[in-house]
Amino acid sequence: MATQTTAAPRTTTFTQVAIALQTLTLFAQAVSAGLLLSTSYGKTVHGVGARVMYGATMLYVLAAILAWRRGGGGSPRPILYASGFLVLASVQVVLGIAHQPALHVPLGVLMFGLSVLDLGRVLFSTIGGGGGRQQRTA
């Protein structure tokens, strides 16, 4: 009997959308930080963006939990990643309110970099990991 491997159909999951939204909002925060330095309305844009970014991070935690529960007890590691982002976002908000740019800015850069890496992990997790489906042929 021969075994033929075909690619499983790719679908966009809630987790993929949530981490993409988180990454996009972190990038938008970097842009609004530039506005903060150069315009009169930058503070408002950056403040609203902070709330949206925090919400996107909470959405990612929810998506990770739901994906884990739906999967029937797989690895809880994505929940740890998402929870770690929520902790970093909380620290980021506190540092921003305390006007500590020496810590706030590098932490924002770190968060964006980690979010891009996690987005890559989530989007390309099936590549090389046996993401294909095996079908038996006679």
Side-chain angles (χ1 to χ4, degrees), residues 33-116:
L35 291 174
L36 179 66
L37 298 172
S38 60
T39 66
S40 61
Y41 58 87
K43 183 176 182 179
T44 303
V45 173
H46 197 67
V48 169
R51 288 165 178 81
V52 173
M53 181 274 303
Y54 200 79
T57 304
M58 288 191 289
L59 184 69
Y60 179 37
V61 172
L62 177 65
I65 292 169
L66 291 175
W68 176 69
R69 295 285 294 165
R70 184 189 64 209
S75 173
R77 185 171 290 168
I79 297 172
L80 294 175
Y81 294 156
S83 299
F85 276 113
L86 188 59
V87 168
L88 290 175
S90 299
V91 171
Q92 186 72 328
V93 168
V94 169
L95 290 172
I97 291 171
H99 300 287
Q100 296 292 323
L103 299 172
H104 182 75
V105 173
L107 181 58
V109 171
L110 176 68
M111 286 177 65
F112 177 69
L114 290 174
S115 192
V116 168

